[in-house]
C-alpha cells in the first residue's frame, strides 16, 4: 500500500503577513497567516509549510508568535523554515508548535547541522529545503543549489546535495524549482525524477503549480507530496480540487 500523497499549501511569511511573488520577486500581500492556515485546515490540507522569507534579517519573534497562534488553531502538521541556523532554533520552533523544521542555507554552509538536528530530534523533524535551478551549460551540473531566495548559485549539484543530506539524516526533501517558482507553468518534472532516483526519503515537489493538471505529473515523476502557494492563496484552486485531480489520476490521497 503506497502512502497517500500529501497536498501542502505553503505560506511565505514576511513580517507577520503572507506574501507571494514570481521567482521570489514582486511580492504582494496574500493575507493573515493564521486565518489562511485555518482555511486550509478546514479545506482538507494534509500539512502546512511556513517559510519565514525575511528571517535572515532577524525578525524572529514575529515568526514564533505566528507559529504559536497557528498551532493553537489548526491540527495538521506544521513545517516551519527560514533562518534556522542552529539546533537551538529547531528546539524553539518545536516548542512554539512546529512539527517539522525546514533547513536550507545553514545546512549548505555547514552540512554537519543536518546530523546534529537529526540526532537530537529525529530525522522525521528535519526537512531539507533545496532551492534549485537549471545549471549553466558546461558547469558539470544539471541542477544547481541556490541560496538567498534563489539569487546566489551555491556551486553545488542539487541531486548530489539531496542525496548527501538524506544520508546525514534529513527526513524529507522539499524540492523547490527556482525557475518555475510562481510562474504557474507546472513543476520541473525532470528535477523531481532526478532527486527521486537519488534518495529514499519523501520528496515534496514545489514551484510552478498553476492548474489541477499540474499536480498528477509531479506525483507520477516521484513526488510524495505536492506543495503550492499562489493558486491556493488567491483562490484559483482549492485543496479539494487538487485532491480530486490526483484521485482521478490514480494517486492515493487522504
Amino acid at each position: 500500500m503506497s502512502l497517500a500523497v500529501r497536498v501542502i499549501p505553503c505560506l511565505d511569511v514576511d513580517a507577520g503577513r503572507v506574501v507571494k511573488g514570481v521567482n521570489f520577486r514582486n511580492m504582494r500581500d496574500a493575507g493573515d497567516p493564521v486565518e489562511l492556515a485555518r482555511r486550509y485546515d478546514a479545506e482538507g490540507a494534509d500539512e502546512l509549510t511556513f517559510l519565514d522569507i525575511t528571517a535572515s534579517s532577524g525578525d524572529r519573534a514575529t515568526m514564533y508568535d505566528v507559529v504559536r497562534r497557528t498551532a493553537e488553531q489548526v491540527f495538521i502538521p506544521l513545517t516551519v523554515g527560514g533562518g534556522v541556523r542552529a539546533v537551538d532554533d529547531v528546539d524553539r520552533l518545536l516548542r512554539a508548535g512546529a512539527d517539522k523544521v525546514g533547513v536550507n542555507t545553514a545546512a549548505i554552509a555547514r552540512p554537519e547541522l543536518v546530523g546534529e538536528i537529526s540526532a537530537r530530534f529525529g530525522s522525521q523533524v528535519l526537512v531539507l529545503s533545496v532551492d534549485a535551478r537549471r545549471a549553466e551549460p558546461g558547469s558539470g551540473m544539471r541542477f544547481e543549489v541556490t541560496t538567498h531566495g534563489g539569487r546566489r548559485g551555491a556551486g553545488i549539484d542539487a541531486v548530489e546535495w539531496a542525496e548527501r543530506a538524506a544520508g546525514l539524516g534529513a527526513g524529507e526533501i522539499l524540492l523547490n524549482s527556482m525557475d518555475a517558482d510562481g510562474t504557474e507553468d507546472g513543476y520541473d518534472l525532470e528535477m523531481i525524477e532526478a532527486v527521486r532516483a537519488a534518495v529514499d526519503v519523501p520528496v515534496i515537489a514545489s514551484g510552478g503549480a498553476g492548474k489541477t493538471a499540474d499536480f498528477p505529473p509531479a506525483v507520477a515523476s516521484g513526488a510524495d507530496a505536492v506543495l503550492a502557494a499562489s493558486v491556493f492563496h488567491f483562490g484559483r484552486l482549492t485543496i479539494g480540487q487538487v485532491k480530486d485531480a490526483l484521485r482521478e489520476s490514480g494517486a492515493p490521497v487522504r
Side-chain angles (χ1 to χ4, degrees):
M1 171 67 187
S2 54
L3 290 172
V5 174
R6 291 167 288 148
V7 178
I8 307 174
C10 180
L11 294 84
D12 293 330
V13 180
D14 180 2
R17 297 289 292 178
V18 176
V19 297
K20 192 60 200 153
V22 177
N23 303 123
F24 279 55
R25 291 182 187 82
N26 304 322
M27 296 296 179
R28 58 177 172 146
D29 188 274
D32 174 71
V34 184
E35 281 175 29
L36 278 173
R38 203 179 324 160
R39 185 179 105 199
Y40 295 141
D41 188 16
E43 274 188 23
D46 298 300
E47 295 184 14
L48 290 170
T49 293
F50 278 9
L51 296 179
D52 185 354
I53 62 171
T54 46
S56 42
S57 49
D59 190 13
R60 300 278 10 170
T62 308
M63 195 60 178
Y64 290 123
D65 179 55
V66 166
V67 172
R68 201 171 283 113
R69 287 188 296 127
T70 303
E72 285 166 7
Q73 301 270 346
V74 306
F75 302 99
I76 51 179
L78 190 56
T79 299
V80 184
V84 175
R85 296 184 184 88
V87 170
D88 287 348
D89 294 332
V90 177
D91 189 48
R92 274 193 289 272
L93 283 167
L94 294 175
R95 287 174 192 275
D99 298 279
K100 298 189 257 190
V101 175
V103 183
N104 184 349
T105 306
I108 295 166
R110 201 172 69 81
E112 301 79 46
L113 180 63
V114 174
E116 290 163 9
I117 294 170
S118 173
R120 176 143 167 210
F121 304 105
S123 61
Q124 78 286 346
V125 158
L126 180 57
V127 179
L128 181 81
S129 188
V130 179
D131 292 337
R133 65 183 179 200
R134 300 260 161 168
E136 296 291 325
S139 66
M141 301 177 280
R142 277 175 70 197
F143 306 101
E144 182 184 21
V145 173
T146 67
T147 60
H148 302 80
R151 288 187 291 280
R152 285 188 209 169
I156 298 169
D157 181 276
V159 178
E160 288 174 10
W161 170 230
E163 186 174 19
R164 181 179 177 200
L168 289 168
E172 288 188 284
I173 307 294
L174 170 51
L175 184 64
N176 187 31
S177 165
M178 301 311 298
D179 300 315
D181 177 76
T183 62
E184 303 185 13
D185 292 333
Y187 292 97
D188 189 327
L189 304 179
E190 275 182 53
M191 190 191 290
I192 296 167
E193 285 171 4
V195 172
R196 168 76 291 149
V199 302
D200 294 328
V201 299
V203 175
I204 305 164
S206 169
K211 55 192 181 298
T212 54
D214 291 333
F215 293 88
V219 174
S221 298
D224 301 273
V226 283
L227 179 145
S230 310
V231 289
F232 294 140
H233 302 338
F234 300 119
R236 288 198 292 285
L237 295 179
T238 65
I239 307 291
Q241 287 170 327
V242 172
K243 289 196 170 185
D244 286 346
L246 288 168
R247 205 174 277 118
E248 283 164 21
S249 75
V253 291
R254 289 199 177 96

